[in-house]
Amino acid sequence: MTTTGILLLAILILGFLITFQIAKASEYVSVLKGEKKAFEQNNRINAFLMVVFLVLGLIGVWWCNKALYPKTLMPYPAASEHGKNIDTMLMITIAITGIVFLITQILLFWFAYKYQHSEKRQAFFYPHNNKLEVLWTTVPAIALCILVGFGLFYWFRMTGEAPADAMQVEITGKQFGWIYRYPGKDGEFGKKYYRNIDEATGNQLGLIWRDTTIIKKDRHNNPVGEAKLKADPQGFDDLVDNTAMYLVKGKAVKLIINSRDVIHDVGLSHFRLKMDAVPGTPTTMWFTPQYTTDEMKKITNNPKFEYEISCDQMCGNSHYAMRGIIKVVTPEEFILWKAKQKPAYALAFPETVATLAQPAAPVADSAASTQRHP
Amino acid sequence: MSNEALHGHPEVVTTHDVHHDEHHVHHHKETFITKYVFSQDHKMIAKQFLITGMIWAVIGGLMSVLFRLQLGYPDQTFPWLEDILGRWAKGGKISAENYYALVTMHGTVLVFFVLTGGLSGTFANFLIPLQIGARDMASPFMNMLSYWFFFGGSIVMISSLFIQTGPFSGGWTAYPPLSALGDASPGSKTGMDLWITAMAMFVVSSLLGGLNYISTVLNMRTKGMSMTRMPLTMWALFFTAVLGVLSFPVLLSGFILLLFDRHGGTSFYLSDIYIAATKTALPNEGGSAILFQHLFWFLGHPEVYIILLPAMGMASEIISINARKPIFGYMAMVGSMFAITILAFLVWAHHMFVTGLNPFLGSVFVLLTLLIAVPSAIKVFNWLTTIWKANIKFTPGMMFALGFVSLFISGGLTGIFLGNSTLDIHLHDTYFVIAHFHIVMGVSAFFGMFAGIYHWFPKMYGRFMNNTMAYIHFWVTLAGAYLIFWPMHYEGLAGMPRRYLDYTGWESFKQFAELNKFISTVAIIVFAVQLLFIFNFFYSIFKGRKLTKPNPWGATTLEWTTPIRPGHGNWPGEIPEVHRWAYDYSKDGRDFIPQTEPIGPNESHH
Ligand code: HEM
Ligand SMILES: [Cu+2]
Ligand SMILES: [Cu+2]
């Protein structure tokens, strides 16, 4: 063992021995003093410590808030309209629960101190009082109704239909990264099929670019049937990208969320939103970005600010590093960015780019594409 | 340190001689094996659960110390760790794989093996027969089996730590597809099979125990012990058992379907999966990964009350005794536990607001979830009124019971944030959730358990635990728990996700590096103080101050009418008859009136 290890162990054991000796000694002392006297002394000390704990605790709460509040998201405005509602809801909830917290904790520790044992007093025999019970059933019930009311009002707003003119972006989680897809000029996503995924040929989503017959295999690799896929021309102009998701300030966006393997979660802390990415069951979420990334850099006073996408659902050993980026830009910047992007199909088959203009005859099926996962 | 110290029975021997007529003739033939190993005495089984639970708690706690080291010091290496842990800390650093294995085992062990098995197993076994006035459980044999299934499950779970591919590492909630696919994570290979096997044995243990607790409470109460005269501990343990019996089978069914998906080629939870590591598209189509979450949380939420109710019951009892005052609103306390039991089955989807759950369905679960805060509030106000105008004796049990109330308030209030889907969509799976459930379920249930141990230790071993060590244990643990978990709310409010081992690569979360160091340091201190408790426990079994009278706390309940060291069968003579409820403290100028005392002619009514 290294020296640090031995040192730590020695300190630990020493600490134990000292505590133990003190504990034993105090037991002997209490025997000498008499059980009653020892009890009274202990009781006084612990009662006193109850108020000490209360006072220090409340100071600690205040101090902790002072130190840590600036490190949360709360000093800055939420980056989406929904997020602003959520912040309001948060404040209402903090106010109501904060009051309850203060009252109950103060009563608890104060009563503990005030009603410590005394020979001179007897406890008050007070087994029940129906009026009080009714009081503290109805008051919390009312307070909670208020919270449910506000909560559901915002909830239905957030989870309602996206505005008709919202742009659509598909985001797909995989171990361990994000794939972003935009519809091309046609505004429609092309069809995809997971058995058609082939990273080697640049088809990480399994878009159906050609008429394909896929031999379905069971888990022992025996063929059990086939799937005939018809090429979907709508997929020819889809943009597929792994670097960042570009969104437009002030324009609503509807995310279509997918997963290729296990469950992930699109966590957007600055927008105050998140939604799971579930394999086989697409989910959606919409919001409107309020500030561009550059504006946020100024607001947060952090030149390195990025809208990060954190994976918020345990997805394997690199879950902690499954980071995505959203770039919120102005409409002009977005047009410029988009103009520079090449569709995934064009990247995968540079030689057929010319046919893209009239995507009439998909390239004939090749043997390779049918048997790509032996 | 003879067996006598553990269990010594000078009195017992005599009692057996005098009263062997009734129930336990077979006890004369007791050997070491039947008395300490395959015991059918509920008190012995309780101690077996307790000590196994304590071993588990140390293991689970130590795991958290290890992964807190990584969280607090992500950029440092600790070469001495490799000396102790070998491949778990290659180069003095805990790898991602091992980090996740530790976190997963920590959660599983503490939630199930300590706070369910260890807590209910100990106190339901120990207290039910003693407090309702029964010789033993309805089926002592099933009771023994319950412990041995628990033990078997423990062995299987431990063994998974030592296999080549490592233990399961996908989180204690074990969501598929991650938990179903060995190719997606090494921990999901053999480790997951062992995890499921261990959990299945654990469920069997819970069911055997739970059925026993229910039938014992319903059928074996002594004369005069009507349901409404039972101490609140009995109600709490009874409701706990009901929750377990109704919800654990659902969890087991979820696990069995998972096994089929893993090995039988079925597609209950799997659909449309492409594994990049092996470049294969899996054959499964049409399954729903979310189905598992419904099955899991249908147990998972009741589970939090399975953990919490025994602590509530014990805290109620201990507070009343040491306040020398009846518990305020006994019927309201029973009613609120009943309401919690019912509602616990109707809120599970609040863990699933962001899975793509239908928003309308989500809103129903918001309503039901916040409804459960009402009975919780009733309980808190009743505890507060119980100590109002009391005459409080700060025994270690009492202090932990008061600490329990404080923590339950703090953690319960943050549940109101998470139960509101509008806020959960922001806070879900962040450190806010970690703070919430550690305070309300982890630490506060531990406080209930500590309160119970300090309070009933004299009944278990005929000796007291050392007070000074107990007070140090209490104050450091209470302050430490708040120092560890309170600041985590702020990390959650920054959106910092849970189950990350390193935040340095994240612009949004790296500002908490200092705080994480601080938390890790406090966690290590608090862990060390728990070792002090363990030491106190075992030391006091053999060397603690001896009990001189059978009822050291001046309590009204039946367990204190047994001899200082009761034998199998509990009462040497007739089982006492009960004439009143359990809370006549400071009534009519008397300090307390035992349940066994008939109502006097001039006694006042309440
Ligand atoms: C009173 C005892 C309580 C216990 C023992 C308890 C325990 C837990 C636990 C273990 C989790 C972990 C979830 C996870 O792993 O993701 C959790 C989360 C949660 N709790 Fe509690 N809780 C309690 C009270 C409450 C109350 C009173 C509420 C609401 C009023 C509540 C609402 C929630 C919600 C909604 C979540 C899910 C949060 C999320 O996953 O983002 N809990 N609770
Ligand atoms: Cu992840
Ligand atoms: Cu729950």
Side-chain angles (χ1 to χ4, degrees):
Chain A
M1 245 211 243
T2 52
T3 36
T4 344
I6 294 170
L7 202 72
L8 282 175
L9 210 66
I11 293 175
L12 196 72
I13 291 172
L14 199 71
F16 268 138
L17 283 179
I18 294 172
T19 325
F20 174 58
Q21 289 307 332
I22 295 175
K24 236 170 59 183
S26 64
E27 198 161 69
Y28 292 137
V29 171
S30 76
V31 170
L32 289 180
K33 258 200 295 209
E35 215 173 301
K36 191 153 160 258
K37 217 143 167 220
F39 158 77
E40 279 171 358
Q41 194 186 4
N42 274 340
N43 222 52
R44 264 198 310 277
I45 296 175
N46 281 313
F48 178 67
L49 287 177
M50 289 279 167
V51 256
V52 172
F53 184 80
L54 175 66
V55 173
L56 289 184
L58 292 178
I59 295 173
V61 167
W62 174 81
W63 187 80
C64 179
N65 186 61
K66 198 166 124 119
L68 295 180
Y69 179 87
K71 300 189 180 208
T72 66
L73 291 162
M74 294 188 298
Y76 316 114
S80 71
E81 196 57 43
H82 295 336
K84 293 189 195 314
N85 291 335
I86 289 172
D87 283 354
T88 314
M89 188 68 230
L90 190 63
M91 285 307 157
I92 298 172
T93 310
I94 289 177
I96 293 185
T97 55
I99 292 169
V100 177
F101 174 83
L102 286 178
I103 294 176
T104 49
Q105 298 282 9
I106 289 174
L107 287 182
L108 176 68
F109 288 101
W110 173 244
F111 284 173
Y113 171 75
K114 178 143 192 261
Y115 299 110
Q116 60 180 288
H117 192 266
S118 148
E119 280 295 314
K120 299 185 208 85
R121 232 163 11 92
Q122 215 192 11
F124 174 41
F125 184 82
Y126 190 52
H128 60 90
N129 177 330
N130 290 341
K131 274 204 197 104
L132 281 180
E133 300 283 3
V134 171
L135 177 75
W136 51 63
T137 308
T138 45
V139 172
I142 292 169
L144 288 165
C145 284
I146 296 173
L147 291 174
V148 174
F150 277 105
L152 292 185
F153 174 72
Y154 292 133
W155 172 247
F156 284 120
R157 244 206 233 175
M158 290 190 296
T159 56
E161 276 300 308
D165 65 339
M167 71 187 260
Q168 300 210 7
V169 184
E170 184 193 74
I171 172 167
T172 303
K174 61 161 186 180
Q175 285 180 321
F176 295 93
W178 301 102
I179 308 166
Y180 316 106
R181 177 160 73 131
Y182 298 78
K185 291 198 192 64
D186 57 1
E188 298 284 345
F189 290 110
K191 287 201 185 64
K192 57 181 191 173
Y193 183 46
Y194 80 106
R195 291 184 201 249
N196 206 29
I197 292 170
D198 186 3
E199 299 211 299
T201 62
N203 196 356
Q204 29 174 349
L205 290 172
L207 297 181
I208 305 171
W209 286 327
R210 306 169 181 216
D211 290 339
T212 314
T213 304
I214 289 185
I215 316 267
K216 289 190 175 185
K217 305 240 174 87
D218 68 7
R219 65 204 168 103
H220 305 298
N221 239 337
N222 303 320
V224 287
E226 36 179 62
K228 285 201 186 342
L229 306 178
K230 206 162 152 29
D232 183 3
Q234 288 181 334
F236 291 166
D237 58 354
D238 288 1
L239 306 179
V240 178
D241 182 61
N242 300 69
T243 49
M245 182 196 294
Y246 279 76
L247 299 179
V248 183
K249 175 184 169 180
K251 185 162 174 67
V253 56
K254 176 175 173 182
L255 298 185
I256 295 153
I257 302 166
N258 274 297
S259 169
R260 232 174 57 168
D261 37 44
V262 301
I263 303 180
H264 303 273
D265 182 285
V266 182
L268 309 175
S269 53
H270 303 97
F271 301 102
R272 312 282 192 275
L273 295 171
K274 64 173 59 75
M275 182 56 73
D276 280 355
V278 185
T281 320
T283 54
T284 62
M285 164 166 81
W286 74 270
F287 60 97
T288 313
Q290 301 286 306
Y291 309 101
T292 64
T293 301
D294 287 334
E295 283 168 346
M296 263 327 244
K297 284 181 181 163
K298 292 206 190 77
I299 292 175
T300 61
N301 214 354
N302 175 5
K304 286 197 271 181
F305 173 89
E306 291 288 358
Y307 288 112
E308 287 174 319
I309 305 176
S310 53
C311 179
D312 282 348
Q313 185 59 256
M314 178 63 199
C315 59
N317 288 338
S318 293
H319 165 59
Y320 72 100
M322 192 169 152
R323 178 170 177 266
I325 299 266
I326 293 182
K327 300 259 185 211
V328 179
V329 296
T330 59
E332 301 76 40
E333 287 168 325
F334 187 74
I335 291 168
L336 278 178
W337 170 78
K338 207 162 178 187
K340 277 190 270 176
Q341 305 307 307
K342 283 221 178 90
Y345 180 76
L347 291 171
F349 303 103
E351 76 280 7
T352 55
V353 159
T355 60
L356 248 188
Q358 328 96 33
V363 191
D365 188 16
S366 73
S369 65
T370 55
Q371 300 185 347
R372 68 180 59 98
H373 321 296
Chain B
M1 48 175 78
S2 59
N3 291 338
E4 232 190 80
L6 249 173
H7 228 18
H9 299 143
E11 301 95 319
V12 176
V13 178
T14 48
T15 58
H16 278 232
D17 286 343
V18 182
H19 298 279
H20 54 73
D21 46 306
E22 321 179 34
H23 38 273
H24 41 243
V25 187
H26 55 285
H27 284 251
H28 293 285
K29 300 194 237 46
E30 256 180 352
T31 63
F32 181 84
I33 299 275
T34 58
K35 193 157 158 196
Y36 294 106
V37 184
F38 295 107
S39 172
Q40 299 192 15
D41 180 351
H42 69 101
K43 297 187 292 299
M44 192 67 217
I45 296 175
K47 290 174 193 172
Q48 292 175 328
F49 269 110
L50 178 57
I51 290 175
T52 315
M54 280 164 71
I55 294 171
W56 266 129
V58 172
I59 296 175
L62 196 61
M63 289 173 164
S64 71
V65 168
L66 290 176
F67 66 71
R68 268 311 325 178
L69 271 182
Q70 159 66 27
L71 279 173
Y73 305 90
D75 42 4
Q76 284 179 34
T77 57
F78 304 91
W80 52 274
L81 269 183
E82 189 172 1
D83 298 337
I84 309 173
L85 296 172
R87 75 172 165 96
W88 282 77
K90 271 215 179 66
K93 210 165 158 44
I94 293 166
S95 67
E97 198 180 320
N98 290 331
Y99 177 89
Y100 285 123
L102 286 172
V103 172
T104 304
M105 285 293 134
H106 161 84
T108 311
V109 161
L110 285 164
V111 169
F112 293 110
F113 288 77
V114 180
L115 291 177
T116 307
L119 184 59
S120 283
T122 302
F123 288 102
N125 269 310
F126 191 74
L127 293 179
I128 288 177
L130 281 172
Q131 286 198 333
I132 63 168
R135 299 278 181 202
D136 204 322
M137 284 287 170
S139 167
F141 180 72
M142 260 166 71
N143 210 23
M144 176 185 84
L145 280 187
S146 153
Y147 174 75
W148 286 103
F149 269 100
F150 176 65
F151 184 82
S154 299
I155 296 294
V156 176
M157 191 62 89
I158 293 237
S159 70
S160 77
L161 294 174
F162 299 101
I163 60 175
Q164 184 70 38
T165 46
F168 178 54
S169 59
W172 76 282
T173 48
Y175 287 177
L178 186 63
S179 61
L181 306 173
D183 287 335
S185 164
S188 302
K189 296 190 159 102
T190 318
M192 186 57 186
D193 290 323
L194 292 176
W195 191 90
I196 295 180
T197 311
M199 285 306 300
M201 294 175 82
F202 180 84
V203 171
V204 172
S205 157
S206 290
L207 293 180
L208 288 170
L211 290 171
N212 234 331
Y213 309 149
I214 294 173
S215 34
T216 308
V217 169
L218 290 181
N219 297 320
M220 299 184 59
R221 300 187 310 278
T222 184
K223 190 156 175 234
M225 179 67 86
S226 59
M227 289 296 273
T228 49
R229 279 183 183 165
M230 292 196 308
L232 287 170
T233 30
M234 291 299 100
W235 278 107
L237 291 165
F238 174 69
F239 285 132
T240 304
V242 171
L243 279 172
V245 164
L246 294 180
S247 64
F248 266 116
V250 178
L251 179 75
L252 187 59
S253 68
F255 287 160
I256 290 172
L257 300 189
L258 182 57
L259 269 183
F260 284 156
D261 272 9
R262 288 171 60 78
H263 300 297
T266 55
S267 307
F268 290 106
Y269 307 132
L270 305 178
S271 185
D272 297 27
I273 293 167
Y274 175 83
I275 300 286
T278 57
K279 298 205 178 60
T280 27
L282 300 187
N284 314 73
E285 285 184 74
S288 161
I290 301 303
L291 171 63
F292 178 87
Q293 299 187 19
H294 283 292
L295 297 175
F296 181 89
W297 288 113
F298 189 80
L299 161 95
H301 194 81
E303 170 67 20
V304 307
Y305 292 101
I306 290 174
I307 287 174
L308 211 68
L309 282 171
M312 289 175 162
M314 292 193 289
S316 305
E317 180 72 11
I318 293 168
I319 287 178
S320 170
I321 291 173
N322 291 291
R324 311 310 296 162
K325 224 178 141 241
I327 191 82
F328 181 79
Y330 174 85
M331 284 314 285
M333 288 304 233
V334 175
S336 58
M337 282 197 275
F338 179 68
I340 287 175
T341 305
I342 301 289
L343 286 171
F345 285 111
L346 302 174
V347 299
W348 78 90
H350 66 208
H351 299 264
M352 300 166 59
F353 286 138
V354 301
T355 55
L357 188 76
N358 175 311
F360 175 73
L361 204 57
S363 70
V364 174
F365 279 97
V366 171
L367 190 67
L368 290 165
T369 300
L370 293 203
L371 216 59
I372 216 169
V374 174
S376 306
I378 295 175
K379 298 194 80 75
V380 168
F381 288 116
N382 284 353
W383 284 318
L384 290 177
T385 316
T386 303
I387 60 168
W388 174 67
K389 289 198 174 184
N391 206 11
I392 300 172
K393 293 182 170 168
F394 291 104
T395 61
M398 179 63 168
M399 310 211 4
F400 274 99
L402 292 173
F404 163 83
V405 176
S406 169
L407 289 159
F408 179 68
I409 295 170
S410 304
L413 286 173
T414 50
I416 293 174
F417 291 61
L418 297 170
N420 203 331
S421 51
T422 299
L423 295 180
D424 189 55
I425 203 170
H426 174 31
L427 299 171
H428 178 78
D429 267 351
T430 64
Y431 263 72
F432 196 93
V433 175
I434 301 291
H436 160 69
F437 75 80
H438 278 89
I439 292 179
V440 83
M441 169 174 86
V443 191
S444 79
F446 259 106
F447 269 54
M449 190 165 172
F450 287 135
I453 293 174
Y454 283 111
H455 185 78
W456 279 288
F457 189 87
K459 189 73 260 165
M460 289 181 179
Y461 295 104
R463 290 167 188 268
F464 291 98
M465 288 176 73
N466 179 291
N467 268 351
T468 310
M469 280 193 263
Y471 292 138
I472 295 174
H473 178 214
F474 171 75
W475 286 112
V476 176
T477 311
L478 182 68
Y482 273 116
L483 287 175
I484 293 171
F485 293 113
W486 187 269
M488 285 187 189
H489 293 107
Y490 288 87
E491 299 184 321
L493 289 172
M496 190 172 118
R498 64 193 279 207
R499 294 170 175 164
Y500 276 27
L501 54 135
D502 190 351
Y503 295 91
T504 44
W506 294 81
E507 201 50 47
S508 315
F509 315 123
K510 67 178 186 198
Q511 68 272 33
F512 292 110
E514 281 303 309
L515 177 61
N516 284 334
K517 266 197 195 81
F518 171 77
I519 291 178
S520 296
T521 314
V522 181
I524 292 168
I525 295 171
V526 171
F527 178 73
V529 170
Q530 308 315 305
L531 295 181
L532 184 70
F533 162 77
I534 303 257
F535 173 78
N536 190 0
F537 181 88
F538 286 104
Y539 175 80
S540 304
I541 289 179
F542 303 110
K543 293 277 162 83
R545 193 157 50 88
K546 275 204 175 125
L547 232 67
T548 48
K549 46 186 189 208
N551 189 358
W553 313 123
T556 59
T557 42
L558 288 183
E559 75 269 32
W560 306 104
T561 64
T562 60
I564 290 182
R565 281 173 169 166
H568 197 172
N570 298 338
W571 286 269
E574 294 272 298
I575 301 180
E577 186 181 340
V578 164
H579 297 278
R580 59 177 73 236
W581 73 332
Y583 296 102
D584 275 338
Y585 292 99
S586 301
K587 188 182 183 193
D588 295 342
R590 289 179 58 186
D591 187 33
F592 73 103
I593 311 176
Q595 279 192 284
T596 48
E597 189 175 313
I599 306 274
N602 305 319
E603 207 174 314
S604 59
H605 288 281
H606 59 260

